[in-house]
Amino acid sequence: MHAFDVLGDPVRRRILELLADGEHSSGELTAVIQREFGISQPAVSQHLRVLRDNGFARVRAQGTRRLYSVEPGPLQEIDDWLERFRGFWSQRLDALATELARGKRERRTADETKDT
């Protein structure tokens, strides 16, 4: 399955968002996903399996619990694909940074003038 096929599903994207914050048990993930998406525990397990089988998540056993975490490798494939599009927004972000710096400089100058 291609990386974008895996991430095309909003449930799987949400699971990865949760895992980006750190390791979570399958029970924790299931509770959040059931609350947000209204799907059953077996359906959540299927999504976790897709993520695991396609290398986006890894699982380790801790007693009877299964702890999931992000596996970053496949995300690099997406990052590589996005590289060709970064120019569309990086120039705008650079311009925004320039304007923010200019505004800070103007406020600082105004404050210094006011203080003297």
Side-chain angles (χ1 to χ4, degrees):
M1 189 177 279
H2 188 273
F4 286 106
D5 294 329
V6 173
L7 297 181
D9 186 282
V11 172
R12 291 192 286 267
R13 286 194 309 269
R14 180 63 177 129
I15 291 170
L16 280 179
E17 289 171 1
L18 294 168
L19 294 177
D21 293 333
E23 193 173 62
H24 289 282
S25 71
S26 58
E28 292 168 331
L29 294 168
T30 297
V32 171
I33 298 302
Q34 283 181 314
R35 184 176 63 247
E36 292 181 7
F37 291 90
I39 62 175
S40 67
Q41 182 275 327
V44 176
S45 292
Q46 277 299 110
H47 286 292
L48 288 168
R49 181 177 177 195
V50 169
L51 290 170
R52 197 176 59 242
D53 288 352
N54 288 281
F56 283 87
R58 62 178 159 258
V59 64
R60 70 179 181 89
Q62 185 180 56
T64 58
R65 295 175 46 179
R66 298 291 171 259
L67 300 173
Y68 285 82
S69 58
V70 169
E71 183 64 52
L75 296 173
Q76 184 62 51
E77 177 184 344
I78 293 168
D79 188 56
D80 293 344
W81 186 84
L82 285 171
E83 183 62 36
R84 70 182 78 171
F85 300 101
R86 283 201 173 84
F88 291 111
W89 65 79
S90 62
Q91 189 176 25
R92 290 183 178 146
L93 290 174
D94 291 343
L96 175 61
T98 300
E99 289 302 315
L100 291 172
R102 181 178 293 134
K104 285 181 184 179
R105 193 171 46 249
E106 289 172 359
R107 282 192 303 279
R108 190 172 48 244
T109 302
D111 289 344
E112 289 170 359
T113 303
K114 190 171 41 175
D115 290 341
T116 57

